[in-house]
Amino acid sequence: MTVIQGENLTKSYGKTLALDNLTFQIEENKLTGLIGRNGAGKTTLLKLIAGYLKPSRGEINVFSHNPFDSLQVSANIIFIDNHMAFPTAFSLDDILTEVAHYYQNWNAKLAHGLFDYFSFNPKQRHGSLSKGNQSTFNMIIGLAARCPLTIFDEPTSGMDSAVRKDFYRALLKDYLEYPRTIILSSHLLSEVEDILEDILLLRDGTKCLHQSVLELKEYALGLKGPKQTVLERLKGQEILHTEEFAQGSLYAVIKNQGLTSQQFLKHEDLELLPVSLEDLCIYLTGNAKGGIDHVFKQ
Amino acid sequence: MILNSDSMKPIYIQISEWLETEILRANLKEGERIYSQYQLAEMFNINPATAAKGLNILVDETIAYKKRGLGLFVAPNAKQFILHKRRSQVLKQLINEIVLEAKHLDVKETELMDLIHQVFNEIEEDKE
């Protein structure tokens, strides 16, 4: 079943085009990573899905409804980001008690288990928490709500690396126990790639690619060696990135067209390297200005 | 359980190799049920789709077979099959890499053979 369907989705803020003719769909119970550079349109897309914003053009359907002003959709969605506002008179304990009434699948046991594990003080106010602890608290609500569509927009901002690891594991475990559609936007792709099934990569408000992590891991190959030898091998290949890293040496990233590593490795001077998803996404969404080194050469 | 995320080997292959090793070590015996994709996902902290791909390799290679509604089971002769496969493929590949590296370092064939003998003896001695 398709949970989210976007057709020619466009959103502009005045003259700024945040999303440009985006068509995509997300299937039920997939754990999808929404990836893109700063300003690529990730948050705008998530807010359109959640019904917080109206598209300028095009159509968005969530559970076959237009999410804007839809009770049906909002009852089935939770949107977690670091701008969540709670009543200032409420203690953390009050928030956990009250929020339970809004979500049909609320798992109080999980909420309190995580609350104790992360050593929150029940009497504290949300506003007085540190940035990282606010994110952690919001994450607890996002997981415990067990909404059929759960959206996390940069959920780990401010969290230290130990908490981030715990969060990813908690997310995966609860997803395995209670499968649901989850979208996670993140800048830390290397940390989340193993738990994701699909990646939707945005570039300048358009879809750069939408594929399974398993496919993307084999999307590209890195080739390292003496410049001439590498250049010979690049003929007929789709080149995604090249970089001279030492005198006469070249590192090139090419699209993997089913060549086996043995075919390449037969040549003694060549080294074949895996291309991390994080690097691949940088190469695919990179600007044409020759990289940061170029700035320093001028 | 820790996976090597820097390895050239995709995670799903690391999963299938880990399962093979479990069979070789007789931690998983022939005819026994193999972990489900969800159990593996939980154990290795990976998406269940990745775990499923690792399991499918075992089915494709007839190391495991499906029982409808019950899951995957270790096939009879799986251990023998894995041993044979590792000798003919994995060992060959490793030797390939050793020979290439030896050539890089200007190590002659006889020198390399001597070195292998030496390591063999060292390991035998350690056992005793």
Side-chain angles (χ1 to χ4, degrees):
Chain A
M1 192 185 88
T2 302
V3 169
I4 307 169
Q5 185 137 31
E7 292 280 346
N8 307 112
L9 205 54
T10 301
K11 177 72 191 176
S12 47
Y13 303 106
K15 281 182 180 165
T16 313
L17 201 55
L19 280 184
D20 187 8
N21 224 12
L22 181 69
T23 297
F24 74 103
Q25 56 183 44
I26 287 178
E27 303 298 322
E28 190 180 25
N29 295 347
K30 290 228 174 180
L31 211 171
T32 304
L34 180 62
I35 311 295
R37 307 290 283 266
N38 293 324
K42 300 187 295 292
T43 298
T44 299
L45 175 59
L46 294 177
K47 286 186 170 170
L48 284 165
I49 294 170
Y52 292 6
L53 295 172
K54 242 179 167 170
S56 309
R57 278 193 308 281
E59 212 180 300
I60 176 93
N61 279 304
V62 179
F63 300 115
S64 311
H65 290 272
N66 175 1
F68 193 79
D69 264 350
S70 163
L71 269 181
Q72 165 81 21
V73 172
S74 41
N76 288 297
I77 282 192
I78 191 158
F79 180 93
I80 302 293
D81 68 0
N82 48 20
H83 303 294
M84 293 178 79
F86 297 99
T88 47
F90 280 21
S91 65
L92 296 179
D93 205 25
D94 295 335
I95 297 172
L96 283 191
T97 311
E98 291 310 314
V99 101
H101 303 308
Y102 291 88
Y103 297 101
Q104 207 183 347
N105 305 330
W106 180 260
N107 184 335
K109 194 170 158 249
L110 177 64
H112 286 102
L114 291 170
F115 192 84
D116 293 339
Y117 175 80
F118 289 108
S119 315
F120 280 104
N121 171 1
K123 296 292 153 227
Q124 214 177 343
R125 303 288 148 119
H126 192 266
S128 68
L129 293 172
S130 71
K131 191 176 178 217
N133 280 338
Q134 278 189 3
S135 294
T136 307
F137 182 80
N138 296 351
M139 166 275 278
I140 293 174
I141 291 179
L143 286 181
R146 290 191 159 178
C147 283
L149 175 55
T150 301
I151 300 173
F152 288 107
D153 188 11
E154 290 290 342
T156 57
S157 62
M159 288 182 188
D160 65 41
S161 63
V163 176
R164 290 203 302 276
K165 273 192 181 154
D166 282 338
F167 165 58
Y168 302 138
R169 178 125 184 98
L171 176 68
L172 181 75
K173 281 182 85 105
D174 203 54
Y175 167 71
L176 290 170
E177 196 180 312
Y178 194 87
R180 51 210 194 257
T181 310
I182 300 176
I183 308 177
L184 176 73
S185 87
S186 176
H187 284 294
L188 305 167
L189 186 50
S190 59
E191 291 185 359
V192 295
E193 60 180 53
D194 288 343
I195 63 165
L196 298 176
E197 180 163 356
D198 285 349
I199 283 185
L200 174 56
L201 178 64
L202 294 183
R203 177 180 54 202
D204 301 331
T206 63
K207 181 168 80 182
C208 183
L209 52 81
H210 188 182
Q211 277 185 30
S212 76
V213 169
L214 286 168
E215 286 168 332
L216 281 176
K217 291 240 182 178
E218 295 177 6
Y219 189 91
L221 288 173
L223 202 55
K224 197 166 94 174
K227 196 172 174 183
Q228 279 313 316
T229 323
V230 175
L231 283 175
E232 276 165 35
R233 294 293 164 125
L234 292 183
K235 280 173 198 145
Q237 304 288 342
E238 193 175 323
I239 301 162
L240 302 173
H241 174 78
T242 55
E243 193 179 319
E244 285 190 48
F245 67 93
Q247 195 68 33
S249 293
L250 189 69
Y251 172 65
V253 176
I254 56 172
K255 201 167 164 184
N256 185 356
Q257 289 164 321
L259 284 164
T260 62
S261 57
Q262 277 90 341
Q263 277 173 282
F264 271 112
L265 286 175
K266 277 277 151 62
H267 203 294
E268 294 164 31
D269 296 333
L270 280 179
E271 213 182 325
L272 200 64
L273 303 156
V275 180
S276 72
L277 275 192
E278 191 160 34
D279 286 343
L280 174 66
C281 288
I282 292 171
Y283 302 146
L284 289 172
T285 58
N287 58 31
K289 289 176 189 156
I292 191 75
D293 283 358
H294 192 70
V295 176
F296 293 89
K297 277 184 193 157
Q298 284 170 348
Chain B
M1 181 69 206
I2 305 294
L3 292 168
N4 181 2
S5 54
D6 295 328
S7 164
M8 185 79 202
K9 270 182 198 154
I11 303 269
Y12 68 91
I13 292 186
Q14 294 185 47
I15 296 288
S16 73
E17 287 184 350
W18 178 78
L19 287 166
E20 284 181 4
T21 306
E22 287 292 286
I23 295 171
L24 287 182
R25 289 183 185 150
N27 290 339
L28 280 172
K29 295 186 185 64
E30 287 166 13
E32 273 184 7
R33 204 169 81 91
I34 300 177
Y35 305 100
S36 73
Q37 66 180 106
Y38 301 101
Q39 286 173 313
L40 289 170
E42 211 272 339
M43 287 159 71
F44 291 92
N45 219 26
I46 53 172
N47 190 283
T50 309
K53 194 166 177 186
L55 285 169
N56 276 336
I57 294 179
L58 299 187
V59 175
D60 289 346
E61 296 194 330
T62 68
I63 291 166
Y65 63 96
K66 267 183 200 147
K67 272 193 200 170
R68 197 179 288 249
L70 293 173
L72 288 186
F73 292 79
V74 181
N77 302 323
K79 197 170 168 177
Q80 213 44 45
F81 181 90
I82 297 164
L83 273 177
H84 179 75
K85 184 183 76 162
R86 290 227 175 152
R87 280 185 194 140
S88 62
Q89 293 173 15
V90 182
L91 198 56
K92 178 91 194 296
Q93 176 66 31
L94 284 172
I95 290 172
N96 218 351
E97 283 170 33
I98 291 172
V99 171
L100 278 179
E101 184 68 18
K103 284 186 123 184
H104 250 308
L105 302 173
D106 264 339
V107 175
K108 300 260 170 334
E109 193 181 330
T110 47
E111 283 177 79
L112 183 61
M113 296 308 284
D114 288 345
L115 205 60
I116 290 175
H117 277 304
Q118 196 187 322
V119 174
F120 242 106
N121 291 335
E122 278 170 15
I123 289 175
E124 286 298 316
E125 276 166 29
D126 281 351
K127 263 189 189 168
E128 283 158 14

